[in-house]
């Protein structure tokens, strides 16, 4: 219908990205959104967020474990992540832990639209180039968010206005 295509990292591979990779955009090579945008001649709007991966310490995606147990084939579950958190310590992600109070910032980036015709959706070179452009735009915007707020948990803890509104029972 001529609407934009939003691209936001997600799914099990991104949700359970290890804490050490929290500032890295990884779309795992999935370029279907580019093909869709090229085919229908609509813009791609990249969206990034910073802070949520600081709230929980994911130590491992557990993708090798998922493969060894066969759940990637039988249940289409590609990860069995392990997290470190209160109150249990080191646990598989389905066991609930208490997240740290992190300030989460979401940025909707400028749209990207390409002048290629609809047939470009079938050209692997064009698709790869557009994919890399989107990935670069997302990474540079995430880098800006990280530079502006390098410690989202500390930012949330030192923001007295947010703590005060929570203490009064107001919704944030």
């Amino acid at each position: 219908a001529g609407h934009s295509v939003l691209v936001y990292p997600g799914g099990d591979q991104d949700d359970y990205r290890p804490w050490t990779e929290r500032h890295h955009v990884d779309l795992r090579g999935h370029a279907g959104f580019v093909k869709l945008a090229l085919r229908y001649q609509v813009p791609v709007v990249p969206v990034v967020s910073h802070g949520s991966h600081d709230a929980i310490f994911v130590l491992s995606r557990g993708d090798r474990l998922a493969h060894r147990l066969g759940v990637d084939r039988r249940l289409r579950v590609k990860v069995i992540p392990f997290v470190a958190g209160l109150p249990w310590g080191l646990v598989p992600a389905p066991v609930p832990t208490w997240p740290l109070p992190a300030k989460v910032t979401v940025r909707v980036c400028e749209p990207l639209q390409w002048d290629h015709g609809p047939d470009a959706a079938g050209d692997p070179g064009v698709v790869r180039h557009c994919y890399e452009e989107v990935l670069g735009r997302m990474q540079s915007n995430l880098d800006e968010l990280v530079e502006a707020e390098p410690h989202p948990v500390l930012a949330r803890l030192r923001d007295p206005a947010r703590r005060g509104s929570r203490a009064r029972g107001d919704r944030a």
Side-chain angles (χ1 to χ4, degrees):
H3 299 288
S4 300
V5 173
L6 293 177
V7 60
Y8 182 73
D12 55 1
Q13 294 288 328
D14 185 67
D15 288 346
Y16 294 109
R17 179 175 41 191
W19 187 82
T20 56
E21 298 173 21
R22 69 193 180 284
H23 300 149
H24 177 71
V25 176
D26 183 2
L27 300 175
R28 312 283 293 179
H30 297 280
F33 69 93
V34 171
K35 294 176 185 177
L36 186 66
L38 288 169
R39 184 174 302 120
Y40 291 102
Q41 300 289 279
V42 296
V44 169
V45 180
V47 180
V48 294
S49 68
H50 168 57
S52 60
H53 282 93
D54 286 88
I56 296 176
F57 291 100
V58 177
L59 302 176
S60 169
R61 274 191 187 104
D63 39 6
R64 281 184 259 167
L65 178 60
H67 181 71
R68 274 202 187 131
L69 295 176
V71 295
D72 61 336
R73 292 178 303 280
R74 289 192 297 269
L75 302 175
R76 298 190 61 161
V77 174
K78 296 188 186 321
V79 297
I80 300 176
F82 285 88
V83 300
L86 295 172
W88 316 112
L90 178 63
V91 294
V95 175
T97 59
W98 296 327
L100 296 173
K103 178 180 180 180
V104 178
T105 306
V106 177
R107 179 179 287 177
V108 178
C109 308
E110 290 295 318
L112 292 163
Q113 185 151 16
W114 303 286
D115 293 333
H116 310 288
D119 293 339
D123 183 335
V126 172
V127 171
R128 174 51 79 201
H129 173 76
C130 295
Y131 172 86
E132 293 295 334
E133 186 177 0
V134 172
L135 192 62
R137 173 81 54 96
M138 294 175 84
Q139 188 63 58
S140 66
N141 275 272
L142 179 57
D143 292 345
E144 289 174 11
L145 293 176
V146 170
E147 185 177 331
E149 193 60 71
H151 306 289
V153 172
L154 294 177
R156 178 71 164 88
L157 291 173
R158 72 175 171 249
D159 185 352
R162 296 276 298 168
R163 284 198 319 264
S165 66
R166 287 282 198 209
R168 291 189 307 268
D170 298 342
R171 297 219 181 254

